[in-house]
Amino acid sequence: MSEKSTVEFELRTPGIDGQGNPTSHAVGLADDAPDLHSDHMLVNIGPQHPATHGVLRLVAELDGEVVVKLIPHLGYLHSGFEKLGEYRFYNQLIPLTDRMDYLAPMANNVGLALTAEKLMGIEITERCKVLRVIACEMSRIIAHLVWLGTTSIDIGAFTPFLWLFQEREKMYNLQEAWTGARLTTSVTRVGGMMADIPEGFEAGMRKFLLEFPKTLDEVDKILSGNGIWCGRTQGIGIMSAEEAVDYSLSGAMLRASGVPYDVRKDRPYLDYESYDFDIPLGEHGDVFDRYLVRFEEIRQSARILEQALDRLEDGPINVDDPRVILPPKSAAMSEMEAMIFHFKHVMEGVEAPVGEAFCSIEGAKGELGYYLVSDGSAKPVRWRVRPPAFINLAALPKMSEGHLLSDMIAINASIDIVMGEVDR
Amino acid sequence: MNQSVDALRARFGEAIQDHHVSCGDTYVYVDADKVYEILNWLKEEPGQEYDYLVDVTAVEYRDPEPPLEVVYELFSHPRKVPLRLKAKLEKEGDLEIDSVVSIWHGADWLEREVFDMFGIKFRNHPDLRRILMWETYDEGYPLRKDFPLRGRFSRSEQVRRVLKGNPETNYSVEEISIAKDNTSIPDDMRQRLLRGESGNIPDSASEADRV
């Protein structure tokens, strides 16, 4: 009878040691490398390039394959939204916010409405608060799914992209049922919402929340322990906690470096302090930790969505104030007073008191801030967006220089930029 | 009201002007030439610790009287407190203010955007170039109130300038300096790159090229 023998061997992946820890660090030229008197090369990447996630143009000075200097060029999608906003009523700003972070339009709508309400001193209704939380968390899940899908393509894994976009499609169907649009949602109004959730939305969302973790687990299984994935992401593009704060990073970029700052916890809005959820924190501040943080954020958003659905009670979605809320169409067509308000809303807009308000929310990309200055008229004097992707992108040269060109692509993907917001 | 206002008055005295509370936010007007000192103090001083620069922007009012304002939005991570600082810049003046990039690296692009949109120059900024508009854009500063919504030039003038422009000036002076090392660039192209900083090839030169 033959005896079974066991052969011990260590599974080795380049960049990963036997314990699964990364071994690769920033790749530079070794000290003893022979001097080949090679010239540096100037490589232009973009603005039309799939790996730059939109119309970002990067000019890289390369020494061999190592990025020596990186100069980003922006503005190819600059639309002058801030200028345009000075000629619009407050409610007319909401469609402009859709077109900024078009991967998470509902969160952008919510941020603007909150700022305008802060400026005008409006207290929104309970149901409206819960609906806005649902809108924000849906946006975060959609945006993170897109991020994970496209980043995995950048790094060379195609399958997660298909799985995740399938899930995103289900979420988009819910969003479309609610707002009538997949991208340009315009779901909020100053003082309320454009529409209440439709019939079947709650059941659809619960079904999604039940089935969706299965896909997440599958993606987790094929990525988190994957040698290629770990080798391409671990130890790449490191930002220490001090550097992350110094560069004003926000969102997952900041938390991956271990800074526990989340606007939902630290400057609560929409009663986020009463929801039970965790803020995932990274340790190393590299691309892999940003992946882990965003991955966990998707799960936490699902937790918040479940709680929000539970506390959704019947009630009005709009504040009971005809000065800020458009009267129902039926009333405007039949009652004199409602018609006057309707006319004044459409022709003159809602006037905000003299003052200024800054309000930020935790958007999918980071701290999304709006700053409105009013001189008492119905149009803002100044509308400023604090674009998280723009500020996070500013750290790209710092993170990429000294890395390989292919690692620069991974680092750029890890920032999670959306050029509509960067260029505005 | 934010407690830092009193601390600022005690430390800087006259340099701190009036303060206001609007919609629950405190904002303080400070002397424009003391901005660097004050922001550095707010970041470093124990008890203040405004370590996070949220935003840098500027405001111009529709009323032509009030000066331009540069706005700094700060947040303290340890203390979870926001603070807004504003500095007034007279429109007739030279519109210059100290850069805070050496305090926060995050101010780099934010200040470039303010320069791009309002024409406010930041002293000691390491790389003050336009950021959202192209470097050779010469219609002015889009977010100023005297800038018309559709731009300063007529559509035909804009088209004329685009067609006349040198496409290679899309490389900045910084990038040209890298390219100069590369000997493979033809000599005339390098000359055009160096010359075409305004985005327009001088008429005489373009005719000479054609010959």
Side-chain angles (χ1 to χ4, degrees):
Chain A
M1 205 174 128
S2 65
E3 211 173 300
K4 269 190 189 169
S5 65
T6 327
V7 183
E8 292 231 353
F9 72 97
E10 205 179 13
L11 194 61
R12 279 277 186 165
T13 312
I16 308 288
D17 66 14
Q19 279 73 46
N21 296 317
T23 56
S24 69
H25 294 289
V27 187
L29 285 183
D31 291 335
D32 55 349
D35 184 9
L36 299 172
H37 302 288
S38 57
D39 284 325
H40 285 188
M41 201 177 0
L42 198 64
V43 175
N44 180 73
I45 307 160
Q48 308 283 342
H49 191 284
T52 56
H53 295 251
V55 280
L56 169 66
R57 175 173 164 236
L58 300 165
V59 177
E61 182 191 357
L62 299 181
D63 181 3
E65 255 194 281
V66 179
V67 177
V68 180
K69 194 173 173 60
L70 187 72
I71 306 170
H73 289 260
L74 323 172
Y76 291 91
L77 210 57
H78 179 58
S79 327
F81 286 149
E82 291 179 9
K83 179 79 175 174
L84 201 56
E86 294 169 10
Y87 296 79
R88 295 283 183 278
F89 299 139
Y90 289 95
N91 269 329
Q92 289 175 324
L93 300 182
I94 289 169
L96 298 181
T97 64
D98 290 336
R99 286 146 179 85
M100 288 192 303
D101 184 354
Y102 45 77
L103 298 176
M106 294 204 289
N108 285 26
N109 302 156
V110 170
L112 184 86
L114 283 174
T115 316
E117 283 150 10
K118 185 174 175 184
L119 183 65
M120 298 176 187
I122 299 169
E123 272 295 321
I124 53 172
T125 62
E126 279 305 312
R127 186 175 173 86
C128 179
K129 279 184 190 169
V130 180
L131 287 181
R132 284 185 184 181
V133 167
I134 294 175
C136 282
E137 299 308 320
M138 276 175 76
S139 283
R140 195 183 323 279
I141 291 180
I142 292 172
H144 281 4
L145 291 181
V146 175
W147 171 79
L148 188 50
T150 52
T151 300
S152 59
I153 285 194
D154 282 352
I155 297 178
F158 192 71
T159 315
F161 173 81
L162 296 175
W163 290 353
L164 294 167
F165 264 56
Q166 206 168 14
E167 292 303 321
R168 169 179 175 261
E169 203 54 37
K170 293 176 191 162
M171 199 62 136
Y172 258 8
N173 287 341
L174 289 170
Q175 182 180 303
E176 198 178 358
W178 184 3
T179 67
R182 291 158 59 86
L183 287 176
T184 52
T185 53
S186 302
V187 73
T188 61
R189 293 289 179 267
V190 178
M193 303 297 281
M194 178 264 286
D196 207 335
I197 48 173
E199 207 174 314
F201 179 91
E202 202 184 323
M205 179 65 83
R206 284 196 195 277
K207 183 163 176 279
F208 174 80
L209 292 175
L210 203 66
E211 295 169 353
F212 161 69
K214 189 166 160 269
T215 311
L216 274 189
D217 290 343
E218 281 171 347
V219 175
D220 192 13
K221 213 176 283 174
I222 68 163
L223 286 185
S224 301
N226 183 321
I228 300 171
W229 181 263
C230 296
R232 287 294 311 273
T233 56
Q234 289 182 348
I236 303 292
I238 295 176
M239 288 294 268
S240 71
E242 292 77 32
E243 284 168 343
V245 173
D246 184 37
Y247 275 83
S248 292
L249 301 187
S250 55
M253 290 285 288
L254 183 63
R255 291 189 288 273
S257 300
V259 182
Y261 175 61
D262 188 307
V263 185
R264 291 174 293 177
K265 291 275 189 197
D266 293 322
R267 305 169 84 171
Y269 54 96
L270 293 174
D271 297 339
Y272 261 112
E273 67 273 25
S274 63
Y275 290 86
D276 182 24
F277 64 103
D278 298 322
I279 301 297
L281 281 185
E283 201 177 328
H284 308 97
D286 57 2
V287 177
F288 187 69
D289 278 19
R290 285 170 208 145
Y291 153 74
L292 290 180
V293 166
R294 288 210 179 88
F295 208 104
E296 187 54 32
E297 276 184 16
I298 300 177
R299 294 201 165 107
Q300 296 299 328
S301 286
R303 258 178 88 187
I304 299 174
L305 274 176
E306 267 169 20
Q307 296 172 42
L309 288 177
D310 287 342
R311 62 168 80 174
L312 200 58
E313 284 171 8
D314 284 342
I317 52 168
N318 293 333
V319 291
D320 184 21
D321 187 347
R323 285 172 306 166
V324 292
I325 291 293
L326 208 62
K329 198 77 183 167
S330 55
M333 301 301 260
S334 57
E335 293 164 28
M336 189 63 200
E337 201 182 30
M339 192 184 155
I340 292 171
F341 274 121
H342 190 279
F343 182 80
K344 280 176 78 76
H345 267 286
V346 175
M347 301 306 291
E348 295 170 8
V350 184
E351 288 180 0
V354 181
E356 54 180 65
F358 179 89
C359 179
S360 53
I361 66 164
E362 186 68 35
K365 310 282 182 274
E367 179 172 358
L368 173 68
Y370 289 98
Y371 177 53
L372 286 169
V373 183
S374 164
D375 61 352
S377 68
K379 294 169 183 173
V381 168
R382 174 90 172 98
W383 173 40
R384 158 75 180 163
V385 186
R386 184 220 190 252
F390 174 82
I391 296 169
N392 290 349
L393 182 61
L396 178 64
K398 154 93 179 74
M399 288 188 287
S400 311
E401 283 163 13
H403 282 292
L404 294 176
L405 183 63
S406 55
D407 288 338
M408 190 277 285
I409 297 295
I411 295 167
N412 182 38
S414 78
I415 300 176
D416 191 11
I417 52 168
V418 52
M419 292 312 286
E421 182 182 274
V422 172
D423 292 342
R424 281 158 292 137
Chain B
M1 193 188 80
N2 193 315
Q3 302 305 315
S4 299
V5 180
D6 293 331
L8 276 170
R9 284 238 160 75
R11 172 69 180 75
F12 291 98
E14 291 293 300
I16 310 298
Q17 301 161 10
D18 48 337
H19 68 274
H20 305 265
V21 178
S22 177
C23 309
D25 303 341
T26 306
Y27 61 95
V28 193
Y29 283 101
V30 302
D31 276 356
D33 43 358
K34 287 275 175 60
V35 154
Y36 182 88
E37 216 180 307
I38 292 169
L39 285 170
N40 200 27
W41 183 81
L42 280 172
K43 184 191 176 194
E44 302 294 344
E45 179 73 11
Q48 304 299 331
E49 296 154 291
Y50 290 96
D51 56 346
Y52 189 63
L53 180 72
V54 180
D55 201 3
V56 179
T57 186
V59 177
E60 185 179 7
Y61 291 91
R62 289 205 184 92
D63 179 0
E65 287 284 307
L68 276 173
E69 292 174 354
V70 182
V71 184
Y72 299 88
E73 183 78 34
L74 308 178
F75 187 74
S76 163
H77 278 152
R79 297 170 52 229
K80 314 282 180 212
V81 186
L83 180 67
R84 193 178 307 142
L85 250 66
K86 289 182 162 199
K88 290 177 184 167
L89 291 177
E90 289 300 332
K91 285 181 197 170
E92 291 75 33
D94 45 9
L95 291 185
E96 274 195 13
I97 195 164
D98 284 327
S99 162
V100 296
V101 175
S102 52
I103 309 178
W104 291 284
H105 275 102
D108 185 348
W109 281 20
L110 292 168
E111 289 183 345
R112 276 177 69 186
E113 194 187 333
V114 172
F115 165 71
D116 189 1
M117 293 290 147
F118 288 88
I120 294 168
K121 291 187 184 64
F122 289 87
R123 279 187 293 260
N124 305 324
H125 190 288
D127 180 27
L128 196 64
R129 290 181 286 131
R130 283 187 182 271
I131 186 161
L132 293 179
M133 309 309 283
W134 53 102
E135 273 173 76
T136 52
Y137 181 75
D138 49 6
E139 289 186 50
Y141 301 104
L143 279 177
R144 295 293 297 271
K145 288 289 187 277
D146 58 1
F147 187 95
L149 183 58
R150 289 181 172 229
R152 202 156 262 151
F153 298 154
S154 66
R155 184 51 59 89
S156 57
E157 171 68 10
Q158 286 172 346
V159 171
R160 198 181 69 78
R161 279 176 184 256
V162 168
L163 293 179
K164 198 171 157 240
N166 178 358
E168 278 150 11
T169 52
N170 278 334
Y171 286 95
S172 70
V173 183
E174 229 179 340
E175 292 153 7
I176 295 167
S177 69
I178 307 168
K180 258 178 21 184
D181 293 340
N182 194 332
T183 45
S184 63
I185 285 192
D187 203 45
D188 62 324
M189 183 173 157
R190 186 182 308 135
Q191 290 302 319
R192 290 212 315 277
L193 279 171
L194 286 171
R195 186 171 72 219
E197 270 179 74
S198 73
N200 297 315
I201 309 169
D203 284 333
S204 56
S206 56
E207 274 157 28
D209 283 351
R210 248 176 267 144
V211 175

